[in-house]
Amino acid sequence: QVQLVESGGGLVQAGGSLRLSCAASGRTFSTYTMGWFCQAPGKEREFVATITQSGGSTYYADSVKGRFTISRDNAKNTVYLQMNNLKSEDTAVYYCAARRGLKAFSVDAYDVWGQGTQVTVSS
């Protein structure tokens, strides 16, 4: 199975942008549905966005619709999360995840996880 490594987190002011990347090892990346999740201090990990194997369909949590964009480049074994108009409530550790199967929105549906990258939005 793939291994995932996130990057691109950091400190940004409210209204700013960040792009997260998740690099996957292995030759089977294109067979995985990919997702992004976030976990704020004291809260459960929650769904942010997911993208199908081909990249043809994307789905978002209501809280990020219109601000975040998930995309993937199967030739580079990488999935991205473009985060625009960031808000203080977006502050969290962001995790990349993979699953063999159709789209899913729950943490339990994903089999492989990265180590996470911290995003901090200052107001």
Side-chain angles (χ1 to χ4, degrees):
Q1 65 182 18
V2 295
Q3 292 183 319
L4 306 174
V5 178
E6 301 97 332
S7 61
L11 174 64
V12 64
Q13 289 188 333
S17 298
L18 282 175
R19 188 175 82 155
L20 306 184
S21 298
C22 173
S25 64
R27 302 177 181 178
T28 59
F29 175 73
S30 63
T31 66
Y32 286 85
T33 290
M34 300 299 297
W36 285 98
F37 291 76
C38 68
Q39 187 167 19
K43 295 187 177 181
E44 294 186 351
R45 195 170 299 188
E46 61 183 26
F47 169 76
V48 174
T50 186
I51 187 167
T52 53
Q53 291 93 328
S54 67
S57 295
T58 57
Y59 305 86
Y60 299 92
D62 288 343
S63 60
V64 306
K65 280 181 183 176
R67 299 189 299 122
F68 291 10
T69 302
I70 187 172
S71 61
R72 66 190 297 164
D73 184 337
N74 286 343
K76 295 183 178 179
N77 280 13
T78 303
V79 62
Y80 305 97
L81 185 68
Q82 177 67 44
M83 310 164 71
N84 296 331
N85 190 21
L86 282 159
K87 304 176 180 180
S88 58
E89 52 262 44
D90 296 320
T91 295
V93 177
Y94 283 74
Y95 296 90
C96 172
R99 72 183 302 270
R100 287 192 180 275
L102 300 179
K103 68 181 188 295
F105 309 122
S106 66
V107 170
D108 293 343
Y110 286 78
D111 309 304
V112 184
W113 292 84
Q115 83 289 349
T117 185
Q118 176 70 48
V119 171
T120 302
V121 184
S122 63
S123 57

